Amino acid sequence: MARADVVGTRLAPLSPIEVATSRPIGLDRSRPILGEVAAATPRAAFRDTVRAALEHGPCIVSFSGGRDSSAVLATAVSVARAEGLPLPIPATLNFPGIEESHESEWQDLVLDHLGVTDRLQYSLSTEMDALGESARELLTAFGVVWPFNTHLHGVICKDTAGGTLLTGFGGDELAASSSTRWAAKALANRRTLTPRKVISIAHFGSPRPLRYLADLPSSRPDREDFPWLTRKGLAQATHQWAANSSTIPMGWGKVLREWVPRSRYFEMVKQSMGDLGSLHDVNVRHPFVEPSVLQAFAHHSPFVGMPGRRAIMQLLVGDLLPPEVVTRTSKASFTPSLWNGESREFAQEWDGTGLDESLVRPDIVKREWLGSDPTVHSLSLLQQAWLHSHKIGAVV
């Protein structure tokens, strides 16, 4: 059932086109924007967020060995040692049969550097399938959630009962959220203006209807990624993606204070992870996108924004991690773990019902699922079809 503490504040369920593309779209304008005044620097705000989790332990850190989770873990260890709090416990998912998920060398490098020996390790095979036990539990309780791999944290949440789980969600997005930074930088340094920069400035400074029209061509979904979309589905996705793009304001500070806190993309992740946590009495937090951290970054670099991921990492944890981790660009993939069990069986037996046929073609969807390497863009459709086949409606 829906969590009592969020009744009345829940996002609208995924729309049919959001299910068809596995992508939340648009803003929830009922959600407040953040104030311009920050109470701390980005690093201090990040540490404060982590400290709160340590004080409501046990504190488990979802740790893949990537930059974002390493930054969260390093900060948690630093704060715990400085203030005499129990050390956080890193939790790692291992999929021995999936080569692209292997991160043991990076994990060992970080843990050795931090001097952390206690950890949780889960060796998994088919348990994390998109229709596996953990996924079915979440789908049955809340309907289609996003992201479709939220359930990957299910096994970790079971061992975090009564405590707090920290994730690295938002690190990638925080760095990429400055999509207007190039134009803002050009506007801030007008002595180097070029025709291309002027066009970019004019684009982001134009009224929304004009930006929408300008963004339409680049917003059309790629047929290779979404081969199942009907003509109506393509048109609807193009329209909504362009409309969403046209809402991104000029200036990184505004993006972080006004756009990110109301974005369905960010808020849907937080809601779905919160729902998963509620099944196991776990408080889930994402330090990179906590309001105080967003405010601090917005205040730190209000217009042009940070120059990139490396600068963000240096600012937050440059002295806490090995240099090669801070500057790393590679990333593991856990996608194959979602297609190695019940999903294949369900796809074989699926009768083609349960999807919006005005937007998607069931025959092409099924062909995609039965292929050797199904795209993750079809996973929300898979979970929607499973719910329909079991006559389970979304709980809101």
Side-chain angles (χ1 to χ4, degrees):
M1 60 184 295
R3 294 158 52 207
D5 62 321
V6 293
V7 170
T9 65
R10 293 184 68 81
L11 295 161
L14 290 174
S15 68
I17 194 61
E18 289 176 319
V19 172
T21 57
S22 286
R23 177 174 174 175
I25 308 168
L27 303 178
D28 181 346
R29 296 184 181 277
S30 69
R31 308 217 162 192
I33 63 175
L34 304 178
E36 293 188 30
V37 178
T41 65
R43 181 181 173 110
F46 199 75
R47 292 175 70 86
D48 287 345
T49 294
V50 171
R51 180 184 297 105
L54 290 166
E55 291 172 345
H56 295 84
C59 178
I60 308 297
V61 177
S62 177
F63 176 61
S64 67
R67 285 180 292 183
D68 301 331
S69 63
S70 295
V72 173
L73 178 61
T75 299
V77 170
S78 174
V79 171
R81 286 179 174 151
E83 305 193 16
L85 296 169
L87 284 174
I89 301 175
T92 301
L93 304 180
N94 297 316
F95 298 90
I98 302 175
E99 184 65 31
E100 52 265 54
S101 72
H102 295 176
E103 290 275 72
S104 58
E105 291 185 7
W106 288 102
Q107 292 163 10
D108 292 343
L109 174 65
V110 172
L111 295 177
D112 288 346
H113 183 84
L114 297 177
V116 173
T117 55
D118 291 339
R119 64 188 297 192
L120 296 172
Q121 296 189 78
Y122 304 88
S123 184
L124 306 166
S125 55
T126 62
E127 295 91 338
M128 293 298 100
D129 185 86
L131 292 178
E133 180 181 352
S134 183
R136 295 196 304 269
E137 180 183 28
L138 186 61
L139 290 168
T140 300
F142 297 101
V144 178
V145 301
W146 195 89
F148 41 76
N149 61 357
T150 298
H151 64 279
L152 285 176
H153 285 85
V155 292
I156 300 176
C157 282
K158 288 181 180 179
D159 287 336
T160 314
T164 304
L165 173 64
L166 293 176
T167 85
F169 166 67
D172 283 334
E173 291 80 1
L174 187 63
S177 66
S178 185
S179 60
T180 66
R181 189 177 70 83
W182 193 80
K185 186 176 180 180
L187 188 59
N189 185 11
R190 302 182 188 185
R191 291 177 298 177
T192 62
L193 286 180
T194 64
R196 184 181 176 189
K197 292 179 180 179
V198 171
I199 291 173
S200 179
I201 293 170
H203 174 76
F204 284 105
S206 297
R208 279 192 58 197
L210 293 181
R211 285 186 59 187
Y212 163 76
L213 292 175
D215 288 340
L216 276 174
S218 60
S219 298
R220 183 176 175 83
D222 191 323
R223 268 295 190 187
E224 291 187 8
D225 292 331
F226 305 94
W228 53 82
L229 289 178
T230 64
R231 182 175 297 181
K232 178 181 176 181
L234 278 170
Q236 196 170 124
T238 302
H239 159 68
Q240 293 198 18
W241 291 4
N244 182 59
S245 176
S246 71
T247 64
I248 301 174
M250 172 78 84
W252 201 45
K254 283 192 173 183
V255 171
L256 298 187
R257 291 188 298 100
E258 300 177 10
W259 194 82
V260 171
R262 297 187 294 175
S263 165
R264 280 176 61 80
Y265 174 95
F266 288 93
E267 291 299 292
M268 194 70 79
V269 173
K270 293 162 74 173
Q271 176 175 286
S272 296
M273 287 296 294
D275 288 341
L276 176 67
S278 73
L279 296 176
H280 306 284
D281 188 27
V282 175
N283 184 22
V284 185
R285 287 290 177 264
H286 319 278
F288 279 102
V289 289
E290 287 295 311
S292 60
V293 176
L294 293 175
Q295 279 181 298
F297 270 112
H299 184 73
H300 175 79
S301 189
F303 192 60
V304 174
M306 300 289 290
R309 167 66 75 84
R310 185 176 301 183
I312 292 174
M313 290 289 289
Q314 287 287 0
L315 182 64
L316 295 178
V317 293
D319 59 329
L320 302 180
L321 288 170
E324 54 267 48
V325 175
V326 173
T327 59
R328 142 176 216 203
T329 57
S330 60
K331 190 172 184 177
S333 172
F334 299 92
T335 299
S337 67
L338 302 170
W339 289 106
N340 63 357
E342 288 87 342
S343 291
R344 296 285 185 179
E345 297 175 9
F346 175 77
Q348 288 281 359
E349 301 172 358
W350 181 52
D351 62 4
T353 62
L355 305 181
D356 188 333
E357 295 188 31
S358 71
L359 302 177
V360 303
R361 290 185 52 185
D363 58 326
I364 297 181
V365 171
K366 183 165 186 173
R367 187 173 68 198
E368 179 69 29
W369 292 343
L370 297 178
S372 59
D373 186 25
T375 173
V376 294
H377 301 307
S378 66
L379 278 171
S380 292
L381 288 168
L382 177 80
Q383 293 172 339
Q384 175 65 61
W386 182 86
L387 284 168
H388 175 81
S389 72
H390 288 76
K391 298 180 172 56
I392 301 172
V395 179
V396 295

